Amino acid sequence: MNNTQYSENERFEKLILQLQEKIKKNPKAYQLKVFMLAILGNLYIGIMILFLLALIPLLLMSILFLKAFAIKLILIVGFFIWVILRSLWVKQMPPQGYAINATDAPELFEIIHKLQQQLNAPDFHKVLIVEDLNAGVVQIPRFLGLGSSQNYLLLGLPLLKSLTVAQFTAVLAHEFGHLAKNHAQFSNWIYRQRIRWTQLVEVLEQNQSRGDFLFRPFLNRFVPYFTAYSFPLAQANEYEADAIAVQLTSSQSTAEALTTVSIISQYLDEKYWTEIYKHADDMPQPVMTPFFNLTHALTHELDKENTTAWLSVSMQQMTTHLDTHPSLQDRLKAIGVVPEFKYPSAEQRADRLLGKQLEKVTATFDQMWQNNISSSWQERYQFIQGGKQRLIELDQKQQTDDLNIDEAFERAQLTLFIAKQTEQACQQLAALHEKAPEHAEICLEYGRALLEKNDDQGCVYMIRATELNEFMMTTCYERLRDFYWQQGQPDQAQHYHHLLVERLELESFAQHERNQLHLNNKFTPHDLSSIELQQLTDALSKIKDLKKAYFVKKKVDYLTYLPCYVLAFSTTRWYQFTNKKRIEDVLQQIQNNMPLNQAVLILSIEGDNYKFGRKMRWIKGSRIL
């Protein structure tokens, strides 16, 4: 990882640890400081906007002296102000779900009303049933945030099917705790501030205005600092809401709810939905009813062995700065209880609180799921059928002729992922590894196949794959982390989780800078070989309406040994007008005929991008057409 970025991550984690100690000493003072920081950020932006607005009357008066130049300055300043104000507008869309009322579900609303009275919490304008294993409170500000908020209570149907009424009430008490303590409104407001400032930074980067010096230095320092400062507050709010749940229900119900949700979340991700999607291998259309069948599955498939393993994984996970929700073990420790899994009987399940609406909600969600998944389901079915046919062809060829390395590797992959024959695939991959020990993809698949059999020898091959190809790191680190968690080795799991996070961040930064072009970027002559350059110029010369082309190398800060090239082009002669349709057509042809395998950013240097053309003309050897 880039050393600068690594040190930034370390500083961020260290700062959060320090701030967590501060919030423990004086929570109210800490919340006030977060609020004041948010005000400071808005105040700075407001002052800068007022400064820009104050320039307009001065520029208007200067028209008598500066003439057309003053008018141009007014337009530039006015456009810059409009860009800033537009970036600060954060529109929060209301959540979607199946709306129910007290007439539909009187028992549910009786519980809701009782909790509201106990906590003196505001009323909900809408109660929505949603598809997630979750519950939450969403507040949508009205009248530009100057008036009251519209409150939504979101209740997940899978959650209702997974908990007893007592456990579900504890979950509700947790969410109401956020609302009564004003966590939700304050947290939503803080979240909107971060979004506004992040949008402003992005817009300033995209527009490359000379006026961004008024905002960029401040925001580049302030936004990361504010994010770190607000993070411990969000985690502290979760602990406080848990304490409220214990107070209004019981520590046992809260512990059962936290434990059960954690276990069932893993069951749904690793088993239930996985098994459903496997049907796409043999069924051309999704005809299952997963929400209707969920109750039966939960009742019969949550065996003790699996639930114990999933609970062990959850209890080994640590609270990190990547999630505002503390880990399960820390939440249970805070309320002084041990994990306790208890799945409800038919009479205890909280979904009965929906009354006569239960059947309608379930049928609606099943129909929505079938409609939404239909396209990707058919693609999966066609892909699997094609894979089966290809495997038959390779098996037949293997009987009469030796397969080359690529064909043999493809056969092993199809045997593993299409035929689901892990043992045979391992034998094929072992033989392939002997022939090609430096083949990174073979190491990866062989290691993954061994780990599926709980053979820790697979770790050796996964690690070797990362040494041979660094772009396999994220896949390998994630699989190694999950394997060690399942094996009850939390230290090793945390080690690979840390490596995974570092690599993901590095690749994210590298991808981001390779997707952006700014006038302040530095460009150098390209380093293509004569053969590569000839291939490129041959391909470009065949494109109609392409008049000029410049090819340079962009200087990057992340993964610097991987080149990032820029191809700038023009379609307009000096006597022609710029034609947007012609530019788009040429751009499409360049993309379709690009002979290089490296990353290449392509842009037109006509219209607003003309300054890029001026910059690239001065680079030696940049003009290739």
Side-chain angles (χ1 to χ4, degrees):
M1 168 169 279
N2 179 283
N3 290 332
T4 302
Q5 185 58 39
Y6 181 75
S7 61
E8 287 177 0
N9 290 335
E10 284 189 326
R11 285 197 296 269
F12 186 79
E13 292 182 19
K14 189 177 294 185
L15 177 59
I16 287 179
L17 290 174
Q18 294 171 353
L19 295 174
Q20 285 172 336
E21 293 302 317
K22 285 187 177 182
I23 195 172
K24 289 177 183 177
K25 294 178 181 178
N26 196 334
K28 290 186 178 180
Y30 190 93
Q31 181 171 336
L32 177 62
K33 185 165 185 178
V34 173
F35 174 74
M36 295 305 296
L37 280 172
I39 295 298
L40 172 64
N42 285 308
L43 184 63
Y44 180 89
I45 292 172
I47 291 173
M48 291 299 102
I49 291 174
L50 290 175
F51 170 73
L52 291 171
L53 290 172
L55 288 179
I56 293 180
L58 296 176
L59 291 172
L60 286 171
M61 291 188 296
S62 69
I63 290 178
L64 294 174
F65 306 100
L66 301 178
K67 308 296 183 183
F69 182 69
I71 296 175
K72 182 178 180 180
L73 288 176
I74 292 171
L75 293 175
I76 292 173
V77 172
F79 175 74
F80 186 60
I81 293 172
W82 177 78
V83 166
I84 299 301
L85 293 176
R86 184 185 64 177
S87 70
L88 296 175
W89 174 254
V90 178
K91 186 176 181 180
Q92 195 171 353
M93 300 300 295
Q96 302 297 310
Y98 189 105
I100 58 171
N101 53 47
T103 304
D104 298 326
E107 286 189 71
L108 173 61
F109 277 80
E110 184 179 343
I111 295 173
I112 292 173
H113 183 65
K114 182 179 179 181
L115 290 172
Q116 285 177 313
Q117 286 185 321
Q118 289 176 310
L119 289 168
N120 194 26
D123 292 332
F124 290 102
H125 299 88
K126 283 189 178 181
V127 177
L128 303 176
I129 308 301
V130 294
E131 302 175 22
D132 307 319
L133 181 75
N134 200 4
V137 172
V138 175
Q139 293 185 300
I140 305 296
R142 295 187 290 189
F143 310 117
L144 300 177
L146 301 177
S148 61
S149 296
Q150 191 163 19
N151 301 323
Y152 294 81
L153 176 61
L154 309 183
L155 306 175
L157 181 60
L159 187 73
L160 287 158
K161 290 179 175 291
S162 303
L163 301 178
T164 66
V165 173
Q167 294 165 358
F168 179 70
T169 304
V171 173
L172 282 183
H174 173 99
E175 298 302 330
F176 281 39
H178 283 306
L179 196 61
K181 290 290 184 178
N182 210 23
H183 294 172
Q185 188 170 3
F186 186 70
S187 297
N188 287 342
W189 183 74
I190 292 295
Y191 173 76
R192 289 196 300 275
Q193 306 317 303
R194 287 203 301 264
I195 292 295
R196 290 169 65 194
W197 298 328
T198 302
Q199 286 182 175
L200 178 56
V201 171
E202 291 176 353
V203 168
L204 291 174
E205 288 181 352
Q206 292 170 3
N207 285 274
Q208 284 295 300
S209 170
R210 292 180 181 178
D212 67 359
F213 74 91
L214 297 172
F215 297 92
R216 192 192 297 273
F218 174 78
L219 291 175
N220 283 346
R221 289 179 173 271
F222 178 78
V223 173
Y225 183 75
F226 180 79
T227 300
Y229 229 96
S230 59
F231 188 88
L233 181 62
Q235 285 192 337
N237 289 345
E238 294 300 326
Y239 287 122
E240 189 173 3
D242 282 343
I244 290 172
V246 171
Q247 180 185 350
L248 295 184
T249 57
S250 69
S251 58
Q252 181 179 352
S253 294
T254 305
E256 289 175 357
L258 291 171
T259 307
T260 303
V261 168
S262 178
I263 288 174
I264 291 181
S265 175
Q266 292 180 78
Y267 163 72
L268 293 177
D269 290 343
E270 296 180 18
K271 190 170 183 181
Y272 185 70
W273 288 110
T274 301
E275 292 298 323
I276 286 175
Y277 294 138
K278 282 181 180 178
H279 289 291
D281 295 357
D282 304 300
M283 298 172 59
Q285 294 290 341
V287 296
M288 288 76 67
T289 52
F291 290 96
F292 178 79
N293 294 333
L294 180 59
T295 300
H296 180 272
L298 289 172
T299 304
H300 294 87
E301 295 182 6
L302 290 173
D303 58 87
K304 186 175 181 179
E305 182 180 354
N306 280 326
T307 54
T308 301
W310 287 322
L311 178 58
S312 176
V313 171
S314 294
M315 292 299 291
Q316 290 169 19
Q317 293 176 357
M318 308 294 290
T319 298
T320 71
H321 70 279
L322 301 175
D323 188 357
T324 57
H325 285 81
S327 67
L328 176 62
Q329 64 167 315
D330 285 344
R331 294 178 74 175
L332 294 174
K333 182 179 178 181
I335 58 178
V337 293
V338 295
E340 187 169 351
F341 175 67
K342 180 183 177 182
Y343 182 72
S345 63
E347 298 77 22
Q348 295 174 317
R349 278 201 314 270
D351 62 354
R352 68 176 180 79
L353 297 174
L354 297 180
K356 60 185 179 182
Q357 288 297 310
L358 175 58
E359 186 176 342
K360 293 182 180 178
V361 174
T362 304
T364 299
F365 283 1
D366 279 330
Q367 186 62 55
M368 289 171 56
W369 177 82
Q370 290 176 4
N371 293 339
N372 293 336
I373 202 72
S374 179
S375 177
S376 59
W377 187 280
Q378 292 175 31
E379 290 178 5
R380 171 70 179 176
Y381 174 77
Q382 293 170 2
F383 171 78
I384 293 297
Q385 299 309 307
K388 289 179 177 179
Q389 182 58 43
R390 176 60 176 163
L391 181 56
I392 291 173
E393 294 172 0
L394 291 172
D395 283 341
Q396 291 174 344
K397 185 176 181 181
Q398 172 70 16
Q399 295 174 5
T400 59
D401 192 11
D402 286 337
L403 301 177
N404 61 39
I405 291 293
D406 290 337
E407 290 174 328
F409 180 55
E410 181 185 5
R411 178 172 175 252
Q413 287 182 303
L414 293 172
T415 303
L416 180 62
F417 297 112
I418 302 297
K420 309 296 183 184
Q421 296 173 347
T422 304
E423 195 60 45
Q424 289 187 25
C426 281
Q427 294 173 7
Q428 294 175 24
L429 289 165
L432 274 172
H433 184 261
E434 288 186 10
K435 293 181 179 178
E438 302 301 302
H439 195 299
E441 290 180 312
I442 292 175
C443 289
L444 170 63
E445 296 303 349
Y446 188 28
R448 182 152 44 189
L450 289 171
L451 292 182
E452 283 189 13
K453 302 194 309 176
N454 289 321
D455 185 343
D456 60 5
Q457 189 64 24
C459 299
V460 175
Y461 296 101
M462 297 289 273
I463 294 170
R464 181 57 180 154
T466 65
E467 295 170 350
L468 295 170
N469 186 339
E470 65 175 306
F471 293 100
M472 293 181 178
M473 286 180 176
T474 56
T475 300
C476 293
Y477 291 156
E478 183 176 17
R479 186 65 188 89
L480 288 167
R481 178 200 64 184
D482 294 344
F483 174 76
Y484 282 116
W485 266 338
Q486 292 165 1
Q487 297 298 310
Q489 300 183 46
D491 292 341
Q492 282 289 80
Q494 286 296 327
H495 170 70
Y496 285 108
H497 180 72
H498 183 69
L499 292 177
L500 172 64
V501 171
E502 280 190 355
R503 184 65 193 186
L504 285 172
E505 288 179 343
L506 174 59
E507 291 185 6
S508 175
F509 282 108
Q511 185 65 38
H512 179 74
E513 71 174 345
R514 283 166 168 76
N515 288 337
Q516 305 280 334
L517 271 181
H518 307 302
L519 283 171
N520 59 2
N521 290 146
K522 293 183 179 180
F523 304 102
T524 60
H526 67 77
D527 53 5
L528 295 184
S529 67
S530 58
I531 295 176
E532 290 174 320
L533 182 59
Q534 188 62 52
Q535 290 174 339
L536 178 59
T537 54
D538 288 347
L540 295 178
S541 63
K542 297 175 183 178
I543 298 176
K544 183 183 178 183
D545 292 326
L546 179 60
K547 306 305 179 187
K548 295 179 183 178
Y550 298 89
F551 195 76
V552 297
K553 188 177 179 181
K554 177 186 173 183
K555 186 177 180 181
V556 292
D557 295 322
Y558 302 97
L559 301 178
T560 55
Y561 48 88
L562 297 177
C564 177
Y565 296 112
V566 180
L567 175 61
F569 70 93
S570 172
T571 67
T572 307
R573 297 188 184 278
W574 66 270
Y575 56 83
Q576 292 178 310
F577 291 107
T578 300
N579 185 306
K580 186 176 180 180
K581 177 66 168 58
R582 183 173 63 225
I583 292 172
E584 291 175 351
D585 289 343
V586 170
L587 173 62
Q588 187 64 51
Q589 291 183 66
I590 294 174
Q591 291 173 336
N592 293 340
N593 294 280
M594 176 60 63
L596 303 178
N597 293 323
Q598 296 95 332
V600 180
L601 291 168
I602 306 171
L603 86 156
S604 163
I605 51 175
E606 301 176 59
D608 294 337
N609 290 335
Y610 73 95
K611 291 182 180 179
F612 283 99
R614 287 182 179 176
K615 191 169 185 176
M616 292 180 184
R617 290 188 194 107
W618 292 97
I619 299 174
K620 184 178 179 180
S622 62
R623 178 77 180 269
I624 62 172
L625 189 68

